[in-house]
Amino acid sequence: MTAPLSTRRPSRIWLYGPFLLLVMLAATWSAFWFYARARAAAEIDAALAREVTRGRTWTCADRSITGFPVRIELRCSALSLTSTRWGDTVRIETGPALAVGQVYTPGLVIFEFTSPARATLPEGRTLEITWKDLDASLAWRNPERFALVAKESTTIVNMPGRPTETWRAATLEAHLRRNPARLAEQAVDIAVSAKGTVLPPIDALLGTSDAGEIELQATLTQAESFRQGFNPDALESWRNANGTFELTRLSGTKGKARVDGSGQFLLDPTHRVAGDLKLAAAGIEQIGGLRIGNLLGGLGGLLGGPPEGAAAPAGLTPLPPASLREGRFYLGPFRLPLQPLPPLY
């Protein structure tokens, strides 16, 4: 007698295996994201508490942390900073702000700020700043670096007893990076470029309101002094550490005027900027109200000649050594008729 065939169907549980695995992965990722969100909130609270002990109070209105599933987004409907150290109060306020970090790229944060911003400074000074776009990024790994890009920025400078000044730039970029080859000097490389600039102090110096362009490359040594901010204590610490600002290249154009230079600066015992510059120029009609017309070619002989071995970019004439001493600006042996620089602190 033949045994009956089994009518039991094979198990189909493996058909649901991929779906179950996907559900498990989604649940695990969700748990990880909420853990990362909680860690981010705790780190932010701890950082804000540390800032208070340093005399700086940050206020993030209507704070929220979102961005699921792959981002951590910190949003503020308005952001403000109040600093009350050193006997003066400084307050900076801006519109909506956003900080974004990708879960898969730890160590990198991208910032977006919405115009306008206002800075209230000691002695009744204020800055009113507007822009079309302003983005920034901060990375603190291999190596540390910071970048900022702004478009169509305008700054209105108000100082009691002085005419209001309006500074403009069609585009502005700033980049800072820790120099891995000069770690012992705590060196930070700086690159700044601005196009379509209107800067009243430069207009007054050169006697023209034409829009200009500026490019700057420099290295700041003993940069750890500024970890706690840019303030009198930090500046004094930097001065005592023999910090220097090495200007690798400064290039500027404004109408027909062109200037190219390099030099090194520090803070002197009176807390003023001091240093030496090597300059080359062309097309400058005046400097600080002193009419020089097209005499740049003859200034070398008149003021003692350019530095030995000086070389200038094509089309530019090397100038005699320029220097800052006790807040005064000198070209060769002659002091220019400019207002002296005040102490920084």
Side-chain angles (χ1 to χ4, degrees):
M1 184 176 178
T2 303
L5 296 174
S6 174
T7 59
R8 182 181 179 185
R9 292 183 178 183
S11 173
R12 295 187 178 184
I13 188 171
W14 296 111
L15 294 177
Y16 304 103
F19 173 74
L20 293 175
L21 180 61
L22 182 61
V23 170
M24 293 175 61
L25 288 175
T28 301
W29 183 262
S30 297
F32 171 75
W33 184 88
F34 281 101
Y35 169 77
R37 178 184 181 275
R39 281 292 304 272
E43 290 293 336
I44 292 169
D45 289 337
L48 294 178
R50 287 194 299 270
E51 286 290 280
V52 171
T53 65
R54 297 166 182 168
R56 298 189 292 261
T57 301
W58 293 83
T59 302
C60 173
D62 304 318
R63 188 178 92 175
S64 64
I65 301 179
T66 58
F68 182 83
V70 295
R71 292 152 61 104
I72 301 293
E73 299 181 356
L74 169 64
R75 295 180 181 272
C76 308
S77 62
L79 182 66
S80 67
L81 166 65
T82 303
S83 175
T84 55
R85 292 187 70 179
W86 308 286
D88 294 315
T89 298
V90 174
R91 182 171 176 81
I92 302 173
E93 304 167 273
T94 186
L98 170 66
V100 178
Q102 305 284 2
V103 173
Y104 49 82
T105 55
L108 174 65
V109 180
I110 298 172
F111 304 90
E112 296 179 6
F113 300 94
T114 303
S115 178
R118 176 184 173 86
T120 303
L121 308 174
E123 301 176 359
R125 296 169 293 170
T126 63
L127 303 177
E128 306 282 348
I129 310 169
T130 60
W131 58 86
K132 183 178 180 181
D133 296 300
L134 194 157
D135 303 307
S137 64
L138 173 65
W140 55 86
R141 294 183 181 178
N142 301 322
E144 294 176 276
R145 60 190 186 276
F146 173 80
L148 180 145
V149 178
K151 297 180 180 179
E152 298 182 21
S153 61
T154 299
T155 302
I156 299 175
V157 183
N158 295 293
M159 301 180 68
R162 298 182 59 178
T164 298
E165 295 181 352
T166 301
W167 300 6
R168 292 190 177 92
T171 61
L172 172 66
E173 291 191 27
H175 301 269
L176 286 77
R177 186 195 72 140
R178 184 178 294 278
N179 189 323
R182 301 177 63 180
L183 295 178
E185 298 175 88
Q186 303 171 14
V188 172
D189 294 331
I190 302 169
V192 178
S193 65
K195 297 182 179 180
T197 60
V198 177
L199 304 171
I202 303 299
D203 294 349
L205 180 66
L206 299 180
T208 175
S209 58
D210 293 338
E213 296 185 7
I214 299 173
E215 290 191 12
L216 178 149
Q217 297 175 14
T219 297
L220 178 75
T221 66
Q222 304 303 323
E224 289 295 321
S225 299
F226 298 105
R227 277 287 188 183
Q228 308 302 322
F230 190 83
N231 51 60
D233 286 351
L235 287 168
E236 182 65 9
S237 174
W238 183 69
R239 187 180 74 85
N240 289 331
N242 297 317
T244 58
F245 183 81
E246 302 169 4
L247 183 60
T248 307
R249 182 169 185 260
L250 173 64
S251 176
T253 61
K254 189 172 180 61
K256 297 180 180 179
R258 296 173 57 201
V259 177
D260 194 279
S262 61
Q264 182 168 293
F265 300 92
L266 46 74
L267 286 178
D268 66 18
T270 67
H271 304 160
R272 290 181 170 89
V273 177
D276 298 296
L277 272 172
K278 296 179 181 179
L279 295 172
I284 297 178
E285 299 295 327
Q286 72 166 47
I287 299 178
L290 178 65
R291 301 291 300 181
I292 62 174
N294 295 317
L295 299 179
L296 280 178
L299 277 178
L302 179 66
L303 301 180
E308 184 177 351
L316 301 184
T317 301
L319 297 181
S323 61
L324 272 169
R325 295 287 182 269
E326 298 179 348
R328 298 288 186 174
F329 192 86
Y330 293 83
L331 189 60
F334 294 94
R335 191 179 78 186
L336 295 181
L338 301 174
Q339 288 291 328
L341 295 178
L344 292 183
Y345 57 101

